[in-house]
Amino acid sequence: MKKQTTFITSLILSLSLSSFAQDNDSTVIRKFFNESLSNGKSYEWLRDLTTNVGPRLSGSEGAKKAVQWGKTLLESGGYDRVFLQDVMVPHWVRGAKEEGYILDGKQKIKVPLVALGGSVATPKKGITAEVIEVKTFQELRALGKEKCEGKIIFFNRPMDPTKINTFEAYGQAGDQRRSGANEAAKLGAIGVIIRSLSSTENDFPHTGSMVYATGVPLIPAAALSTNAATLLSKTLKENPNTKFYFKQSCETLPDAPSHNVVAEIKGSEHPEEIIVVGGHLDSWDLAQGAHDDGTGIVQSMEVARLFKNLGIKPKHTIRIVLFMNEENGNRGGVKYAELAKQNNEKHIFALESDNGGFTPRGFGMQGASAELLAKVQSYRTLLAPYGLHEIERGGGGVDIGPLAPQGSVLIGFKPDAQRYFEYHHASNDTFDTVNQRELEMGAASMASLIYLLDNLTN
Amino acid sequence: MKKQTTFITSLILSLSLSSFAQDNDSTVIRKFFNESLSNGKSYEWLRDLTTNVGPRLSGSEGAKKAVQWGKTLLESGGYDRVFLQDVMVPHWVRGAKEEGYILDGKQKIKVPLVALGGSVATPKKGITAEVIEVKTFQELRALGKEKCEGKIIFFNRPMDPTKINTFEAYGQAGDQRRSGANEAAKLGAIGVIIRSLSSTENDFPHTGSMVYATGVPLIPAAALSTNAATLLSKTLKENPNTKFYFKQSCETLPDAPSHNVVAEIKGSEHPEEIIVVGGHLDSWDLAQGAHDDGTGIVQSMEVARLFKNLGIKPKHTIRIVLFMNEENGNRGGVKYAELAKQNNEKHIFALESDNGGFTPRGFGMQGASAELLAKVQSYRTLLAPYGLHEIERGGGGVDIGPLAPQGSVLIGFKPDAQRYFEYHHASNDTFDTVNQRELEMGAASMASLIYLLDNLTN
Ligand SMILES: [Zn+2]
Ligand SMILES: [Zn+2]
């Protein structure tokens, strides 16, 4: 009987201890949400970043200002350390506002068009040519050199609206923007225009990076708004001899000096083990960069503030990283990992917020063991009351990607994805499209996960 | 051996049949989403309803137009039956635009203010009085008649920002709007102003219904924008003798004739058993009534179109109901249930969409047996790929509420709730705040649930 009693006693003890631990976790998470939703700073920080700093493409004055902005704000947070990491970044400039016209033989229809990031300029007077519309590279190659020589190739494959995960639809349409110019140049085309990678039919053209392959001619590449792409396609059906004109004067200048901004809260038990929380500080030049990725920046900064404000001392070192140059080079992410390796740092987790500032849905994990994934999934009971149901394998983030070979588990914050590609890389990615509650819930969600990961028994 | 084999064979057969059934369900659901997201009509219908019909408060010309709009559109859908139900509705009119001023002794500060629905007018020249600010009825009663007599009572309890479910925060703050005037009048106050029931700090006042209790004086009641309420509170702290002035000329006219609009798809196996899908056609007079409840109307209509378009013949009769007068009386809902009872109709399920047109999260069920709830929760595997994780007990909807005593299970469609109270009952509840994908996913979610319920073995 003795033994039995002891066993039961210890069972009860361990059950109540574990229930205490759970209670405690749920109390801390509740505090994160209460503080973020009642006294959060993320929204006002975002207002400041998007409207006072504004667009901040790598190499620009805006990017310089953003680095200073982030450093100053983090320094005022009272963390253990705030520092910059030097990094040379690409310096592409758009130049004068682009022009685009459909020339259907009868009239000249002005359409919204922007150069793709990394593209070369057109000749000063622009280019005019007949248009070949295709949906895929396969279709393009089947046309062959004869049909494409001297023409403007028009890639018009929309994002698939039936994909519930809009990032999947974006991924499937992305080859047109990234490599369309290379594929077209191989066949003698003189320019490329693409349908904007957008989930919405409207008049905002979406930019984004393209990269020239070695050994092919560099031809100019631009994006049309989805409405303009639809119009051009319709016009081509009516008159296959329709021409298109566009002019852009973008160019790539020599690499420019820039910085990642890092703030650190030293771990109380394992200071040598690092958890990164970050987003990217750069944005495209067209917009305020609100959802991409001002929201990720201010949410990461809010995670640090929440820990500090609630007096929660992490066991592991937490680093808030405002990465530079995610959009057109990922030099900041690469540099961060390079320095981590040089300094023999041990990164155990890296969490990135770069999917917009919408209502939180969950997290995607990359590089986690089955045990770790199951453990984090077991936190669903703690996280579901906040709408965080989706904890699955998935992408981490571009900036944190280079940490993977060092053994860090990568985690992508997953907000609701239905609206993101309405704004992504376009001039309508502005502060007013961000809802304060959604943003603040995201910050609290991130803090909650970091807290749970920091307390994983290991 | 024979028996064993037979058993195993039948097990395999039943497993594969059940897996076939699941596959089939998942295929149908996929089709609903594909069709709604690729060729959906809900968004264009919403544009039409919100911008061409516009505001449609019960008894107004807009409401008349809306009934005609719904009838015409449903008639063009080719359903088995479209009909109107006559119902007399309250007819409250706002009159001239209201005016509100803070009089701090030095200056006259104009603030955004709207009459609450159902309120009486002020005297023609308006009312001016000192202001007593309270957060609760308890606090008000503690002040007593002496302090309140001849004053304007200012209810300034905000919606609790820490509630993840914003409807809960709304519910907790709602007494100020609904009954504030009654409580204040009992103590001799001459008018009531309330902080708008809104989750956002901005300049849009939110209206909504209030009802006078019998036996108390009818004093005018209005809502201030949240920013104005914050300003008034601050001003009162600086100068407790601050006065407030407001003028409104609203009035309640005799009840007016109106209609519910109903469309029916006859059930193939149990035509006498009815499943209702609906929203409310009326809106407040201040706005286009996009999220409240244009989205519910067009989603309900889209459910019918999806069934028809995909050639899915329901076993039970599906009724699309565009209810009249949810906002200030629920006469349409009451009338619908009254007629159902009169006609000995058997309603088994009623699904309402009246929580905005945001990304779907799940459904709340009311009046379901434990078995039924568990059964519907077992569909999570079918629904989770579409973000529908939350299937729990919860409110159905105001319009369908009167069907509960007849044994109908009530179901509320639950979209993401973070943005709803930014727009609810205010002039910024406009078409452009609705995202097409979010709206269309909601319609497909509703169709999916109706399909599953229609196929419940019973
Ligand atoms: Zn980004
Ligand atoms: Zn409503």
Side-chain angles (χ1 to χ4, degrees):
Chain A
M1 267 319 259
K2 186 81 193 305
K3 217 165 188 175
Q4 180 86 354
T5 313
T6 311
F7 171 74
I8 289 175
T9 309
S10 82
L11 182 72
I12 288 168
L13 197 69
S14 89
L15 276 174
S16 58
L17 272 175
S18 104
S19 134
F20 171 78
Q22 281 275 13
D23 274 350
N24 198 38
D25 287 348
S26 89
T27 305
V28 172
I29 292 171
R30 185 69 257 184
K31 281 184 187 167
F32 282 138
F33 277 87
N34 284 356
E35 172 64 19
S36 184
L37 286 164
S38 303
N39 308 305
K41 297 287 174 274
S42 56
Y43 192 65
E44 287 311 314
W45 286 339
L46 183 68
R47 186 197 302 275
D48 196 26
L49 175 62
T50 53
T51 61
N52 294 330
V53 176
R56 45 198 182 277
L57 185 59
S58 291
S60 69
E61 277 307 306
K64 248 183 231 168
K65 237 173 122 179
V67 167
Q68 205 46 56
W69 173 90
K71 181 166 175 279
T72 304
L73 262 180
L74 287 170
E75 279 172 348
S76 74
Y79 307 118
D80 295 315
R81 196 155 75 108
V82 174
F83 59 98
L84 300 182
Q85 295 179 329
D86 297 343
V87 55
M88 294 300 290
V89 294
H91 189 187
W92 178 85
V93 293
R94 185 171 302 279
K97 191 166 163 44
E98 303 87 340
E99 284 180 45
Y101 289 95
I102 298 172
L103 312 165
D104 68 359
K106 284 168 287 182
Q107 47 180 341
K108 200 175 140 180
I109 306 162
K110 189 167 179 138
V111 291
L113 168 146
V114 294
L116 294 182
S119 174
V120 296
T122 57
K124 275 220 173 70
K125 63 181 180 51
I127 57 176
T128 307
E130 284 189 359
V131 179
I132 304 292
E133 176 180 345
V134 294
K135 291 253 161 84
T136 64
F137 290 171
Q138 202 179 8
E139 196 184 329
L140 177 71
R141 287 182 206 123
L143 289 173
K145 220 164 187 160
E146 202 178 325
K147 292 255 170 66
C148 297
E149 197 124 49
K151 305 284 170 59
I152 291 172
I153 306 299
F154 168 35
F155 289 100
N156 192 29
R157 187 166 90 255
M159 279 175 60
D160 180 352
T162 70
K163 295 284 175 213
I164 302 305
N165 180 354
T166 54
F167 284 88
E168 204 182 323
Y170 175 67
Q172 289 177 354
D175 57 346
Q176 304 172 93
R177 190 192 77 204
R178 284 191 312 273
S179 317
N182 298 323
E183 295 297 318
K186 281 182 205 162
L187 300 172
I190 61 164
V192 154
I193 49 181
I194 70 158
R195 179 188 191 86
S196 281
L197 302 183
S198 169
S199 54
T200 310
E201 307 275 318
N202 65 24
D203 295 323
F204 295 98
H206 296 233
T207 190
S209 73
M210 56 85 64
V211 177
Y212 289 111
T214 48
V216 295
L218 312 192
I219 62 172
L224 295 175
S225 71
T226 45
N227 277 346
T230 299
L231 176 66
L232 176 56
S233 181
K234 183 167 161 274
T235 309
L236 283 167
K237 273 181 197 76
E238 287 159 7
N239 174 13
N241 300 320
T242 293
K243 290 185 177 176
F244 193 81
Y245 165 87
F246 72 112
K247 185 168 85 169
Q248 58 193 31
S249 51
C250 40
E251 60 178 320
T252 299
L253 304 176
D255 284 0
S258 190
H259 310 275
N260 296 325
V261 186
V262 186
E264 199 173 88
I265 305 176
K266 263 265 176 298
S268 59
E269 291 182 17
H270 308 283
E272 76 292 354
E273 295 187 340
I274 298 168
I275 302 177
V276 162
V277 183
H280 63 85
L281 194 51
D282 62 310
S283 79
W284 280 104
D285 57 326
L286 295 173
Q288 297 177 348
H291 284 290
D292 190 14
D293 182 27
T295 53
I297 288 295
V298 300
Q299 286 173 326
S300 300
M301 289 167 52
E302 179 74 351
V303 168
R305 193 191 71 83
L306 289 173
F307 270 81
K308 183 89 185 172
N309 181 281
L310 297 174
I312 298 169
K313 297 198 190 314
K315 298 189 174 76
H316 306 83
T317 292
I318 295 179
R319 278 221 192 127
I320 308 306
V321 186
L322 319 184
F323 291 97
M324 182 50 67
N325 186 229
E326 189 271 350
E327 292 295 2
N328 56 341
N330 199 22
R331 300 278 185 88
V334 169
K335 174 61 77 176
Y336 182 88
E338 198 180 293
L339 291 172
K341 199 171 179 187
Q342 251 177 48
N343 300 330
N344 278 314
E345 291 170 354
K346 185 176 176 194
H347 282 74
I348 55 174
F349 293 107
L351 167 63
E352 177 152 9
S353 168
D354 184 21
N355 300 320
F358 307 100
T359 299
R361 310 291 305 235
F363 299 95
M365 297 190 75
Q366 185 183 328
S369 66
E371 289 78 6
L372 176 65
L373 181 65
K375 180 72 191 167
V376 177
Q377 286 177 334
S378 78
Y379 293 138
R380 273 184 180 150
T381 45
L382 288 164
L383 300 173
Y386 304 93
L388 296 159
H389 300 280
E390 301 176 8
I391 296 168
E392 282 145 22
R393 294 207 180 272
V398 170
D399 298 287
I400 57 177
L403 286 171
Q406 298 175 34
S408 174
V409 171
L410 309 184
I411 307 170
F413 168 59
K414 280 179 64 180
D416 189 84
Q418 299 311 318
R419 283 175 282 151
Y420 189 58
F421 292 99
E422 181 171 344
Y423 310 123
H424 182 248
H425 296 181
S427 62
N428 59 342
D429 181 14
T430 49
F431 177 68
D432 59 296
T433 66
V434 178
N435 176 273
Q436 183 171 354
R437 290 184 58 82
E438 295 186 353
L439 177 73
E440 291 172 347
M441 283 182 59
S445 300
M446 290 164 62
S448 300
L449 184 70
I450 293 298
Y451 170 79
L452 293 170
L453 294 174
D454 183 53
N455 283 280
L456 275 178
T457 46
N458 58 354
Chain B
M1 264 323 255
K2 186 84 194 304
K3 217 165 188 175
Q4 179 85 354
T5 312
T6 311
F7 170 74
I8 288 174
T9 308
S10 82
L11 181 73
I12 288 168
L13 197 67
S14 90
L15 276 174
S16 58
L17 273 176
S18 106
S19 131
F20 171 78
Q22 281 276 12
D23 274 350
N24 199 38
D25 288 347
S26 89
T27 305
V28 172
I29 292 171
R30 183 70 257 185
K31 281 184 187 168
F32 283 137
F33 277 87
N34 284 356
E35 174 65 18
S36 184
L37 286 164
S38 303
N39 308 306
K41 295 286 173 274
S42 56
Y43 192 65
E44 287 311 315
W45 285 339
L46 183 67
R47 186 198 302 276
D48 195 26
L49 176 62
T50 52
T51 60
N52 294 329
V53 176
R56 45 199 183 277
L57 185 59
S58 290
S60 69
E61 277 307 307
K64 249 183 230 168
K65 237 173 123 180
V67 167
Q68 207 43 58
W69 172 90
K71 181 167 174 278
T72 305
L73 262 179
L74 286 170
E75 280 173 348
S76 74
Y79 307 118
D80 295 315
R81 196 156 75 109
V82 174
F83 58 98
L84 300 182
Q85 295 178 329
D86 297 343
V87 56
M88 294 301 290
V89 295
H91 189 188
W92 179 84
V93 293
R94 185 171 301 279
K97 191 166 164 44
E98 304 86 340
E99 284 180 44
Y101 290 95
I102 298 172
L103 312 164
D104 67 359
K106 283 168 289 184
Q107 48 180 341
K108 201 176 138 179
I109 307 162
K110 189 169 177 137
V111 291
L113 168 146
V114 294
L116 295 183
S119 175
V120 295
T122 56
K124 274 219 172 72
K125 62 179 182 49
I127 57 175
T128 307
E130 284 189 357
V131 179
I132 304 292
E133 175 180 345
V134 294
K135 293 253 161 86
T136 64
F137 291 171
Q138 203 180 7
E139 197 185 328
L140 176 71
R141 287 182 206 123
L143 289 173
K145 221 163 186 164
E146 201 180 326
K147 292 257 171 66
C148 297
E149 198 125 48
K151 303 285 170 58
I152 292 173
I153 306 299
F154 168 35
F155 290 100
N156 192 30
R157 189 167 88 253
M159 280 175 61
D160 180 352
T162 69
K163 295 283 175 213
I164 303 305
N165 180 353
T166 53
F167 284 88
E168 205 182 322
Y170 175 68
Q172 289 177 353
D175 56 347
Q176 304 172 94
R177 191 192 75 204
R178 284 192 310 274
S179 317
N182 298 324
E183 296 297 318
K186 282 182 205 163
L187 300 172
I190 60 164
V192 154
I193 49 180
I194 69 158
R195 179 189 191 86
S196 281
L197 302 183
S198 168
S199 54
T200 309
E201 308 274 319
N202 65 25
D203 295 323
F204 296 98
H206 296 233
T207 191
S209 73
M210 57 85 64
V211 177
Y212 290 111
T214 48
V216 295
L218 312 191
I219 63 172
L224 295 175
S225 71
T226 45
N227 278 346
T230 300
L231 175 66
L232 175 56
S233 181
K234 184 167 160 274
T235 309
L236 283 167
K237 273 181 197 76
E238 287 160 7
N239 174 14
N241 300 320
T242 292
K243 291 185 176 176
F244 193 81
Y245 165 87
F246 72 113
K247 185 169 83 169
Q248 57 193 31
S249 50
C250 40
E251 60 178 319
T252 299
L253 305 176
D255 285 359
S258 189
H259 310 274
N260 295 326
V261 186
V262 186
E264 199 173 88
I265 305 176
K266 263 266 177 295
S268 59
E269 293 181 17
H270 309 283
E272 76 292 354
E273 295 187 339
I274 299 170
I275 302 176
V276 162
V277 182
H280 63 85
L281 194 50
D282 62 310
S283 79
W284 280 103
D285 57 327
L286 296 173
Q288 298 178 348
H291 284 289
D292 190 14
D293 181 28
T295 53
I297 287 295
V298 299
Q299 286 174 326
S300 299
M301 289 168 51
E302 178 74 351
V303 168
R305 193 192 70 83
L306 289 173
F307 270 80
K308 183 90 184 170
N309 181 281
L310 298 173
I312 298 169
K313 294 195 192 316
K315 298 188 173 75
H316 307 82
T317 292
I318 295 179
R319 279 224 191 122
I320 308 306
V321 186
L322 318 184
F323 291 96
M324 182 50 67
N325 186 228
E326 189 271 350
E327 292 296 1
N328 56 342
N330 198 24
R331 301 276 186 89
V334 169
K335 175 60 78 175
Y336 182 87
E338 198 180 296
L339 291 172
K341 200 172 179 186
Q342 251 176 49
N343 300 329
N344 279 316
E345 291 170 355
K346 185 177 177 194
H347 282 74
I348 54 174
F349 294 107
L351 167 63
E352 178 153 7
S353 168
D354 185 20
N355 299 320
F358 307 99
T359 299
R361 309 290 306 235
F363 300 95
M365 298 190 76
Q366 184 183 329
S369 67
E371 289 78 7
L372 176 64
L373 182 65
K375 179 73 191 168
V376 177
Q377 286 177 335
S378 79
Y379 293 140
R380 273 184 181 150
T381 45
L382 288 164
L383 299 172
Y386 304 93
L388 296 159
H389 300 279
E390 301 174 9
I391 297 168
E392 282 143 24
R393 294 208 180 274
V398 170
D399 298 287
I400 57 177
L403 286 171
Q406 298 176 33
S408 173
V409 172
L410 309 184
I411 307 170
F413 168 57
K414 279 180 65 179
D416 189 83
Q418 300 311 318
R419 283 174 284 152
Y420 189 58
F421 292 98
E422 181 171 344
Y423 311 122
H424 182 248
H425 297 180
S427 62
N428 60 342
D429 181 13
T430 50
F431 177 66
D432 59 296
T433 66
V434 179
N435 177 273
Q436 183 171 354
R437 290 184 58 81
E438 296 186 354
L439 177 74
E440 290 171 348
M441 283 181 60
S445 300
M446 290 165 62
S448 300
L449 183 70
I450 293 299
Y451 170 80
L452 293 170
L453 294 174
D454 182 54
N455 283 280
L456 275 178
T457 45
N458 56 358

